[in-house]
Amino acid sequence: MLTTDRGADALLPVYAQFPVRPVSASGSWIVDEAGERWLDAYGGHAVASTGHCHPHVVRAIAEQAGRLLFYSTMLSHPHRERLASRLVERSPAPLDKVFLCNTGAEANENAMLLARKRTGRSAIVAVEGGWHGRSVACQAVTDGAKYEQTARLAGMPVARRIPFDDLAALDAIDETVAAFLVEPVQGMGGARACSPAFLRAARARCDAVGAALLFDEVQCGVGRCGAFTAAELYGVVPDALSLAKGLGSGFPVAAVLVGPMLSEGITIGDLGSTFGGGPLACAAALATLDVMDAEGLCGNAARIGARLAEGARALGVRRVEGHGLLLGLRLGRPAKAVQQRLLERRVLTGTATDPEILRLLPPLTFTEAEADLVLDALKEALA
Ligand code: PLP
């Protein structure tokens, strides 16, 4: 048989990429094919929660892979049960049930499904600047003409969208609405944090009209904002909360945490996922939680985030959005050019849908010295 190595040509060209080809990584540092080290203030899109290749996580995955790589949810597994109870322990009451799946979109999709099933309503209200994933149901609630068009083509009703943090606009949540879906701190939107008053009012409004409140914490959860969930940080508890990204330190695993409003009456066959809650994914997530506890990573995210925010302000950055290690630096100029200059200094950062925002989402293990290296590079990039 004739074989050809078509390399990158064989991939659908759907991703804009930087010219860095990583071959290994450790902690906050990536090593490329030429042996050069790159400081990762992007965290592989907020995924590298415990840093790259944390030895405890790597060991847990390797050991589990050698023992039982996979069996589906047709059989119970102690890791799955342990992970569910450890997630419930970390979540504000009354979130006391867990559905395990694989990606952020899958988690949000299931949260919306539960809300629609419970209320018998179909409409979802979402927020301008919100980003919820690539499945059709998630694109229907994500802000952006391109996503809206995909949803319409698929015959999916598009969300009613309200302005960011606008309390008066919450009136759009009425008796026809199944759920209000909101990122407490928007990720792609530029690390924009909702005000506590907005989320409290959203809770009250949902209660008044019988709609579910859904928090998409796919990016802002798992300790990123300085508490395990942003719900805890805000003191507002939704009816369901989606986690993904950092939960498995790089191994795909996601969870929907569910409160009684949405768990009541749920029975066998209502939700499902072949790979969701597989033993390897659960081992990765359990080891991630071990590291988060042992190394105090929620506190570290808050501490290092404050250092980065303060340092950025001292460099003249107009405004710093976000919490913990989900930060958006409002530069007052195109962020892409600054991101490029940081890349020339071998520092990886992110941008956002807001073109003036440079997004920082480093591993939650980021050190003071690493934060200072980012600030030094930023000073040069801004000069
Ligand atoms: N929700 C938020 C807030 C996200 O940032 C993302 C991904 O960036 C998603 C959902 C979708 O997650 P996934 O790509 O794992 O489906």
Side-chain angles (χ1 to χ4, degrees), residues 80-310:
R80 194 178 297 128
E81 291 148 22
R82 202 168 309 129
L83 177 59
S85 66
R86 287 184 70 184
L87 287 172
V88 167
E89 271 167 28
R90 278 163 180 72
S91 306
L95 296 170
D96 63 354
K97 294 273 187 266
V98 178
F99 176 71
L100 295 169
C101 48
N102 303 282
T103 67
E106 195 185 356
N108 286 334
E109 178 107 18
N110 280 292
M112 288 190 280
L113 188 155
L114 286 171
R116 288 181 164 126
K117 199 172 167 56
R118 171 70 190 192
T119 60
R121 309 169 184 171
S122 64
I124 306 283
V125 174
V127 179
E128 286 174 5
W131 209 96
H132 303 291
R134 295 282 184 166
S135 70
V136 169
C138 289
Q139 294 201 40
V141 293
T142 288
D143 195 6
K146 151 172 114 174
Y147 306 118
E148 211 165 283
Q149 195 190 6
T150 308
R152 285 191 203 287
L153 281 172
M156 187 81 199
V158 166
R160 296 180 201 167
R161 211 163 280 117
I162 64 170
F164 180 79
D165 216 36
D166 183 336
L167 272 80
L170 289 168
D171 285 350
I173 307 168
D174 60 23
E175 281 81 0
T176 66
V177 168
F180 177 50
L181 175 64
V182 58
E183 292 164 84
V185 183
Q186 286 187 342
M188 290 287 274
R192 283 199 301 180
C194 292
S195 64
F198 178 72
L199 293 183
R200 275 198 300 269
R203 176 70 279 175
R205 183 71 191 164
C206 285
D207 289 343
V209 299
L213 178 62
L214 310 179
F215 279 4
D216 177 347
E217 296 207 21
V218 166
Q219 189 162 150
C220 67
V222 195
R224 183 144 294 277
C225 290
F228 187 71
T229 59
E232 179 190 333
L233 199 70
Y234 279 92
V236 178
V237 188
D239 299 300
L241 186 157
S242 304
L243 297 174
K245 291 198 186 291
L247 188 55
S249 295
F251 197 94
V253 50
V256 194
L257 310 175
V258 186
M261 178 207 184
L262 298 182
S263 64
E264 224 176 84
I266 290 300
T267 186
I268 289 171
D270 282 347
L271 305 181
S273 169
T274 296
F275 289 113
L280 213 49
C282 292
L286 284 166
T288 298
L289 298 180
D290 289 343
V291 174
M292 290 189 70
D293 290 347
E295 300 186 14
L297 295 189
C298 292
N300 194 60
R303 206 164 37 247
I304 301 296
R307 188 179 185 96
L308 281 167
E310 205 175 295

